[in-house]
Amino acid sequence: AAFYPSFIQNKLLEALIRCCSDPDKATRKFACFAIGNAGFHSDSLYNHLRAAIPCLVKLLSDSEEKTRANAAGALGNLVRNSSSLSQDLINNVAVQTLLQVTSRSLPPEAWTAPIYLLPSPVVGGILSCEQGRARRAVTSQDCAVLSRQHVRSW
């Protein structure tokens, strides 16, 4: 946390976000990892990392498996310490993209598992937006509903 002000002052986070679009696969992979680390310990950098969300969602479909994993982990870390970026994940279809990507590589019975990688406020927000429900705890039945509605329609 002591380094965070210098990250902002020297525009390191902006550079990391740009690295998510780099043509070099190793650069993309490590940029996702670094963004995830920046969001892991506290939410103090969340506002500065908000711009990374569209890039991270796009990288969920990267050709490199480790980049996809790092992007998913980074998205989870961006809502780990507060829900301030939850709406951004909802607006950028992070959960739906995660389910779509997972459905390509997992059997149908495992499709509900990826939803648990993201906190309840994110999934609850999707349920609220799409099913008119009030926000509440997410259950395995909710995950199954999301899986049926989104993954199978792709």
Side-chain angles (χ1 to χ4, degrees), residues 14-88:
E14 293 171 16
L16 275 176
I17 294 167
R18 283 193 308 274
C19 287
C20 287
S21 300
D22 197 272
D24 179 66
K25 62 183 179 181
T27 301
R28 291 191 310 272
K29 174 177 70 175
F30 289 117
C32 292
F33 185 77
I35 290 169
N37 282 343
F40 182 79
H41 295 288
S42 80
D43 64 350
S44 60
L45 294 176
Y46 280 9
N47 281 334
H48 300 281
L49 295 170
R50 181 183 311 272
I53 293 172
C55 300
L56 293 171
V57 170
K58 182 177 178 182
L59 289 172
L60 291 173
S61 300
D62 193 84
S63 61
E64 294 293 317
E65 180 179 353
K66 190 62 176 169
T67 301
R68 292 190 306 268
N70 287 352
L75 287 166
N77 285 351
L78 293 180
V79 288
R80 173 183 165 88
N81 297 298
S82 87
S83 62
S84 65
L85 296 180
S86 294
Q87 190 62 50
D88 294 276

